[in-house]
Amino acid sequence: MSIGAGDLRDRWTFQQRSVDANGARRGPWEEGFSVSTKVTWLIGSEAVMQDRLTGRQPVVLTIRESSVSRQITPGWRALDARRAGRVANITAVSPSKTRGFLDVLAVIGVAQG
């Protein structure tokens, strides 16, 4: 399965924490970058169903791979640029099955901190 520009219908902004006075990434969230994204809502497995029952929704955000997007780590978060208040905590980043893309596993509906 390949991904084309027509599949990247959503827009998400990726952010990371700023560095605090001690040099740790615990400061306020700082604006990162926005990219066109393909959102895949995970359904079906027992773990996913359990998450959904508790108000959490696991998703895969597929984005183009670049020098900037390769910096994303589980310490980052993603904001839906078209739906205010939809925030996803990033849990993992891996190469997509389609060359030139990254799959960002995230969970929507968890506490932000």
Side-chain angles (χ1 to χ4, degrees), residues 20-44:
D20 67 9
N22 297 322
R25 287 218 172 259
R26 295 186 183 159
W29 291 102
E30 56 185 24
E31 204 64 30
F33 60 95
S34 295
V35 293
S36 296
T37 308
K38 176 184 176 188
V39 179
T40 304
W41 300 90
L42 299 181
I43 57 172

PDB file of all heavy atoms in Angstrom, residues 20-44:
ATOM      1  N   ASP A  20      14.139  23.998  30.539  1.00  0.00           N
ATOM      2  CA  ASP A  20      13.966  24.812  31.748  1.00  0.00           C
ATOM      3  C   ASP A  20      15.323  25.311  32.254  1.00  0.00           C
ATOM      4  O   ASP A  20      16.364  25.085  31.637  1.00  0.00           O
ATOM      5  CB  ASP A  20      13.201  24.036  32.824  1.00  0.00           C
ATOM      6  CG  ASP A  20      13.960  22.845  33.388  1.00  0.00           C
ATOM      7  OD1 ASP A  20      15.163  22.679  33.085  1.00  0.00           O
ATOM      8  OD2 ASP A  20      13.355  22.071  34.156  1.00  0.00           O
ATOM      9  N   ALA A  21      15.328  25.968  33.395  1.00  0.00           N
ATOM     10  CA  ALA A  21      16.548  26.567  33.945  1.00  0.00           C
ATOM     11  C   ALA A  21      17.625  25.529  34.266  1.00  0.00           C
ATOM     12  O   ALA A  21      18.811  25.852  34.304  1.00  0.00           O
ATOM     13  CB  ALA A  21      16.206  27.358  35.204  1.00  0.00           C
ATOM     14  N   ASN A  22      17.222  24.289  34.493  1.00  0.00           N
ATOM     15  CA  ASN A  22      18.182  23.226  34.810  1.00  0.00           C
ATOM     16  C   ASN A  22      18.665  22.474  33.576  1.00  0.00           C
ATOM     17  O   ASN A  22      19.403  21.502  33.691  1.00  0.00           O
ATOM     18  CB  ASN A  22      17.557  22.239  35.793  1.00  0.00           C
ATOM     19  CG  ASN A  22      17.233  22.894  37.115  1.00  0.00           C
ATOM     20  OD1 ASN A  22      17.986  23.736  37.595  1.00  0.00           O
ATOM     21  ND2 ASN A  22      16.108  22.519  37.701  1.00  0.00           N
ATOM     22  N   GLY A  23      18.209  22.885  32.402  1.00  0.00           N
ATOM     23  CA  GLY A  23      18.634  22.235  31.175  1.00  0.00           C
ATOM     24  C   GLY A  23      17.803  21.025  30.779  1.00  0.00           C
ATOM     25  O   GLY A  23      18.130  20.333  29.817  1.00  0.00           O
ATOM     26  N   ALA A  24      16.733  20.756  31.508  1.00  0.00           N
ATOM     27  CA  ALA A  24      15.861  19.619  31.189  1.00  0.00           C
ATOM     28  C   ALA A  24      14.677  20.097  30.349  1.00  0.00           C
ATOM     29  O   ALA A  24      14.256  21.246  30.452  1.00  0.00           O
ATOM     30  CB  ALA A  24      15.354  18.969  32.469  1.00  0.00           C
ATOM     31  N   ARG A  25      14.130  19.225  29.523  1.00  0.00           N
ATOM     32  CA  ARG A  25      12.971  19.567  28.695  1.00  0.00           C
ATOM     33  C   ARG A  25      11.702  19.430  29.524  1.00  0.00           C
ATOM     34  O   ARG A  25      10.953  18.475  29.381  1.00  0.00           O
ATOM     35  CB  ARG A  25      12.917  18.686  27.457  1.00  0.00           C
ATOM     36  CG  ARG A  25      13.973  19.047  26.459  1.00  0.00           C
ATOM     37  CD  ARG A  25      13.433  18.934  25.049  1.00  0.00           C
ATOM     38  NE  ARG A  25      14.388  19.458  24.106  1.00  0.00           N
ATOM     39  CZ  ARG A  25      14.293  20.671  23.567  1.00  0.00           C
ATOM     40  NH1 ARG A  25      13.289  21.444  23.869  1.00  0.00           N
ATOM     41  NH2 ARG A  25      15.209  21.092  22.727  1.00  0.00           N
ATOM     42  N   ARG A  26      11.490  20.399  30.416  1.00  0.00           N
ATOM     43  CA  ARG A  26      10.316  20.407  31.280  1.00  0.00           C
ATOM     44  C   ARG A  26       9.610  21.755  31.260  1.00  0.00           C
ATOM     45  O   ARG A  26       8.688  21.979  32.018  1.00  0.00           O
ATOM     46  CB  ARG A  26      10.707  20.064  32.712  1.00  0.00           C
ATOM     47  CG  ARG A  26      11.214  18.657  32.829  1.00  0.00           C
ATOM     48  CD  ARG A  26      11.457  18.285  34.256  1.00  0.00           C
ATOM     49  NE  ARG A  26      12.001  16.944  34.316  1.00  0.00           N
ATOM     50  CZ  ARG A  26      12.669  16.464  35.319  1.00  0.00           C
ATOM     51  NH1 ARG A  26      12.892  17.192  36.371  1.00  0.00           N
ATOM     52  NH2 ARG A  26      13.119  15.231  35.283  1.00  0.00           N
ATOM     53  N   GLY A  27      10.063  22.654  30.399  1.00  0.00           N
ATOM     54  CA  GLY A  27       9.452  23.967  30.302  1.00  0.00           C
ATOM     55  C   GLY A  27       8.137  23.906  29.545  1.00  0.00           C
ATOM     56  O   GLY A  27       7.623  22.834  29.245  1.00  0.00           O
ATOM     57  N   PRO A  28       7.601  25.069  29.198  1.00  0.00           N
ATOM     58  CA  PRO A  28       6.339  25.106  28.452  1.00  0.00           C
ATOM     59  C   PRO A  28       6.505  24.503  27.053  1.00  0.00           C
ATOM     60  O   PRO A  28       7.615  24.425  26.525  1.00  0.00           O
ATOM     61  CB  PRO A  28       6.004  26.594  28.361  1.00  0.00           C
ATOM     62  CG  PRO A  28       7.101  27.329  29.015  1.00  0.00           C
ATOM     63  CD  PRO A  28       8.110  26.371  29.524  1.00  0.00           C
ATOM     64  N   TRP A  29       5.386  24.098  26.475  1.00  0.00           N
ATOM     65  CA  TRP A  29       5.416  23.567  25.114  1.00  0.00           C
ATOM     66  C   TRP A  29       5.786  24.684  24.162  1.00  0.00           C
ATOM     67  O   TRP A  29       5.296  25.795  24.270  1.00  0.00           O
ATOM     68  CB  TRP A  29       4.047  23.001  24.725  1.00  0.00           C
ATOM     69  CG  TRP A  29       3.695  21.760  25.478  1.00  0.00           C
ATOM     70  CD1 TRP A  29       2.850  21.669  26.541  1.00  0.00           C
ATOM     71  CD2 TRP A  29       4.185  20.447  25.251  1.00  0.00           C
ATOM     72  NE1 TRP A  29       2.786  20.372  26.986  1.00  0.00           N
ATOM     73  CE2 TRP A  29       3.600  19.600  26.206  1.00  0.00           C
ATOM     74  CE3 TRP A  29       5.071  19.897  24.336  1.00  0.00           C
ATOM     75  CZ2 TRP A  29       3.864  18.229  26.268  1.00  0.00           C
ATOM     76  CZ3 TRP A  29       5.334  18.536  24.390  1.00  0.00           C
ATOM     77  CH2 TRP A  29       4.735  17.716  25.346  1.00  0.00           C
ATOM     78  N   GLU A  30       6.661  24.375  23.210  1.00  0.00           N
ATOM     79  CA  GLU A  30       7.044  25.379  22.216  1.00  0.00           C
ATOM     80  C   GLU A  30       6.597  24.911  20.834  1.00  0.00           C
ATOM     81  O   GLU A  30       6.568  23.715  20.543  1.00  0.00           O
ATOM     82  CB  GLU A  30       8.537  25.668  22.248  1.00  0.00           C
ATOM     83  CG  GLU A  30       9.432  24.488  22.077  1.00  0.00           C
ATOM     84  CD  GLU A  30      10.909  24.838  22.245  1.00  0.00           C
ATOM     85  OE1 GLU A  30      11.242  25.832  22.917  1.00  0.00           O
ATOM     86  OE2 GLU A  30      11.730  24.090  21.705  1.00  0.00           O
ATOM     87  N   GLU A  31       6.222  25.886  20.039  1.00  0.00           N
ATOM     88  CA  GLU A  31       5.736  25.590  18.692  1.00  0.00           C
ATOM     89  C   GLU A  31       6.820  24.894  17.889  1.00  0.00           C
ATOM     90  O   GLU A  31       7.963  25.312  17.877  1.00  0.00           O
ATOM     91  CB  GLU A  31       5.322  26.890  18.004  1.00  0.00           C
ATOM     92  CG  GLU A  31       4.316  26.715  16.900  1.00  0.00           C
ATOM     93  CD  GLU A  31       2.973  26.178  17.361  1.00  0.00           C
ATOM     94  OE1 GLU A  31       2.577  26.444  18.510  1.00  0.00           O
ATOM     95  OE2 GLU A  31       2.320  25.493  16.581  1.00  0.00           O
ATOM     96  N   GLY A  32       6.460  23.841  17.241  1.00  0.00           N
ATOM     97  CA  GLY A  32       7.396  23.090  16.427  1.00  0.00           C
ATOM     98  C   GLY A  32       7.133  23.335  14.954  1.00  0.00           C
ATOM     99  O   GLY A  32       7.439  24.395  14.433  1.00  0.00           O
ATOM    100  N   PHE A  33       6.483  22.394  14.320  1.00  0.00           N
ATOM    101  CA  PHE A  33       6.210  22.499  12.894  1.00  0.00           C
ATOM    102  C   PHE A  33       4.876  21.830  12.585  1.00  0.00           C
ATOM    103  O   PHE A  33       4.420  20.960  13.317  1.00  0.00           O
ATOM    104  CB  PHE A  33       7.334  21.852  12.079  1.00  0.00           C
ATOM    105  CG  PHE A  33       7.532  20.396  12.377  1.00  0.00           C
ATOM    106  CD1 PHE A  33       6.918  19.425  11.602  1.00  0.00           C
ATOM    107  CD2 PHE A  33       8.327  19.996  13.435  1.00  0.00           C
ATOM    108  CE1 PHE A  33       7.090  18.084  11.882  1.00  0.00           C
ATOM    109  CE2 PHE A  33       8.509  18.648  13.716  1.00  0.00           C
ATOM    110  CZ  PHE A  33       7.890  17.692  12.933  1.00  0.00           C
ATOM    111  N   SER A  34       4.236  22.254  11.512  1.00  0.00           N
ATOM    112  CA  SER A  34       2.964  21.679  11.073  1.00  0.00           C
ATOM    113  C   SER A  34       3.176  20.950   9.757  1.00  0.00           C
ATOM    114  O   SER A  34       3.922  21.420   8.893  1.00  0.00           O
ATOM    115  CB  SER A  34       1.916  22.772  10.884  1.00  0.00           C
ATOM    116  OG  SER A  34       1.609  23.376  12.112  1.00  0.00           O
ATOM    117  N   VAL A  35       2.518  19.805   9.615  1.00  0.00           N
ATOM    118  CA  VAL A  35       2.634  19.016   8.390  1.00  0.00           C
ATOM    119  C   VAL A  35       1.287  18.405   8.028  1.00  0.00           C
ATOM    120  O   VAL A  35       0.437  18.187   8.888  1.00  0.00           O
ATOM    121  CB  VAL A  35       3.681  17.887   8.521  1.00  0.00           C
ATOM    122  CG1 VAL A  35       5.082  18.421   8.648  1.00  0.00           C
ATOM    123  CG2 VAL A  35       3.361  16.971   9.682  1.00  0.00           C
ATOM    124  N   SER A  36       1.134  18.107   6.761  1.00  0.00           N
ATOM    125  CA  SER A  36      -0.022  17.354   6.298  1.00  0.00           C
ATOM    126  C   SER A  36       0.136  15.922   6.789  1.00  0.00           C
ATOM    127  O   SER A  36       1.235  15.368   6.787  1.00  0.00           O
ATOM    128  CB  SER A  36      -0.107  17.399   4.777  1.00  0.00           C
ATOM    129  OG  SER A  36      -0.315  18.717   4.347  1.00  0.00           O
ATOM    130  N   THR A  37      -0.968  15.333   7.217  1.00  0.00           N
ATOM    131  CA  THR A  37      -0.922  14.063   7.930  1.00  0.00           C
ATOM    132  C   THR A  37      -2.048  13.138   7.491  1.00  0.00           C
ATOM    133  O   THR A  37      -3.154  13.590   7.230  1.00  0.00           O
ATOM    134  CB  THR A  37      -1.072  14.324   9.449  1.00  0.00           C
ATOM    135  OG1 THR A  37      -0.118  15.303   9.849  1.00  0.00           O
ATOM    136  CG2 THR A  37      -0.891  13.079  10.264  1.00  0.00           C
ATOM    137  N   LYS A  38      -1.764  11.854   7.460  1.00  0.00           N
ATOM    138  CA  LYS A  38      -2.807  10.841   7.295  1.00  0.00           C
ATOM    139  C   LYS A  38      -3.078  10.277   8.682  1.00  0.00           C
ATOM    140  O   LYS A  38      -2.152   9.813   9.359  1.00  0.00           O
ATOM    141  CB  LYS A  38      -2.352   9.724   6.362  1.00  0.00           C
ATOM    142  CG  LYS A  38      -3.372   8.612   6.251  1.00  0.00           C
ATOM    143  CD  LYS A  38      -2.865   7.467   5.405  1.00  0.00           C
ATOM    144  CE  LYS A  38      -3.896   6.349   5.421  1.00  0.00           C
ATOM    145  NZ  LYS A  38      -3.381   5.148   4.779  1.00  0.00           N
ATOM    146  N   VAL A  39      -4.338  10.328   9.121  1.00  0.00           N
ATOM    147  CA  VAL A  39      -4.703   9.828  10.443  1.00  0.00           C
ATOM    148  C   VAL A  39      -5.381   8.473  10.289  1.00  0.00           C
ATOM    149  O   VAL A  39      -6.339   8.335   9.528  1.00  0.00           O
ATOM    150  CB  VAL A  39      -5.651  10.803  11.169  1.00  0.00           C
ATOM    151  CG1 VAL A  39      -6.048  10.254  12.525  1.00  0.00           C
ATOM    152  CG2 VAL A  39      -5.011  12.166  11.310  1.00  0.00           C
ATOM    153  N   THR A  40      -4.873   7.467  11.001  1.00  0.00           N
ATOM    154  CA  THR A  40      -5.486   6.144  11.039  1.00  0.00           C
ATOM    155  C   THR A  40      -5.955   5.899  12.465  1.00  0.00           C
ATOM    156  O   THR A  40      -5.142   5.833  13.389  1.00  0.00           O
ATOM    157  CB  THR A  40      -4.479   5.051  10.616  1.00  0.00           C
ATOM    158  OG1 THR A  40      -3.962   5.375   9.327  1.00  0.00           O
ATOM    159  CG2 THR A  40      -5.140   3.685  10.578  1.00  0.00           C
ATOM    160  N   TRP A  41      -7.267   5.801  12.629  1.00  0.00           N
ATOM    161  CA  TRP A  41      -7.851   5.546  13.945  1.00  0.00           C
ATOM    162  C   TRP A  41      -7.774   4.054  14.205  1.00  0.00           C
ATOM    163  O   TRP A  41      -8.291   3.254  13.436  1.00  0.00           O
ATOM    164  CB  TRP A  41      -9.299   6.036  13.989  1.00  0.00           C
ATOM    165  CG  TRP A  41      -9.394   7.500  13.713  1.00  0.00           C
ATOM    166  CD1 TRP A  41      -9.549   8.097  12.499  1.00  0.00           C
ATOM    167  CD2 TRP A  41      -9.285   8.548  14.655  1.00  0.00           C
ATOM    168  NE1 TRP A  41      -9.558   9.463  12.638  1.00  0.00           N
ATOM    169  CE2 TRP A  41      -9.404   9.777  13.959  1.00  0.00           C
ATOM    170  CE3 TRP A  41      -9.108   8.590  16.042  1.00  0.00           C
ATOM    171  CZ2 TRP A  41      -9.350  11.014  14.583  1.00  0.00           C
ATOM    172  CZ3 TRP A  41      -9.063   9.833  16.659  1.00  0.00           C
ATOM    173  CH2 TRP A  41      -9.185  11.020  15.943  1.00  0.00           C
ATOM    174  N   LEU A  42      -7.096   3.661  15.280  1.00  0.00           N
ATOM    175  CA  LEU A  42      -6.919   2.244  15.576  1.00  0.00           C
ATOM    176  C   LEU A  42      -8.190   1.686  16.198  1.00  0.00           C
ATOM    177  O   LEU A  42      -8.770   2.293  17.107  1.00  0.00           O
ATOM    178  CB  LEU A  42      -5.724   2.036  16.497  1.00  0.00           C
ATOM    179  CG  LEU A  42      -4.382   2.506  15.925  1.00  0.00           C
ATOM    180  CD1 LEU A  42      -3.269   2.228  16.908  1.00  0.00           C
ATOM    181  CD2 LEU A  42      -4.085   1.833  14.592  1.00  0.00           C
ATOM    182  N   ILE A  43      -8.613   0.532  15.709  1.00  0.00           N
ATOM    183  CA  ILE A  43      -9.810  -0.136  16.222  1.00  0.00           C
ATOM    184  C   ILE A  43      -9.558  -1.629  16.243  1.00  0.00           C
ATOM    185  O   ILE A  43      -8.653  -2.128  15.579  1.00  0.00           O
ATOM    186  CB  ILE A  43     -11.056   0.165  15.361  1.00  0.00           C
ATOM    187  CG1 ILE A  43     -10.811  -0.251  13.908  1.00  0.00           C
ATOM    188  CG2 ILE A  43     -11.448   1.622  15.436  1.00  0.00           C
ATOM    189  CD1 ILE A  43     -12.028  -0.163  13.026  1.00  0.00           C
ATOM    190  N   GLY A  44     -10.331  -2.336  17.032  1.00  0.00           N
ATOM    191  CA  GLY A  44     -10.339  -3.783  16.913  1.00  0.00           C
ATOM    192  C   GLY A  44      -9.690  -4.595  18.006  1.00  0.00           C
ATOM    193  O   GLY A  44     -10.310  -5.509  18.506  1.00  0.00           O
TER     194      GLY A  44
END
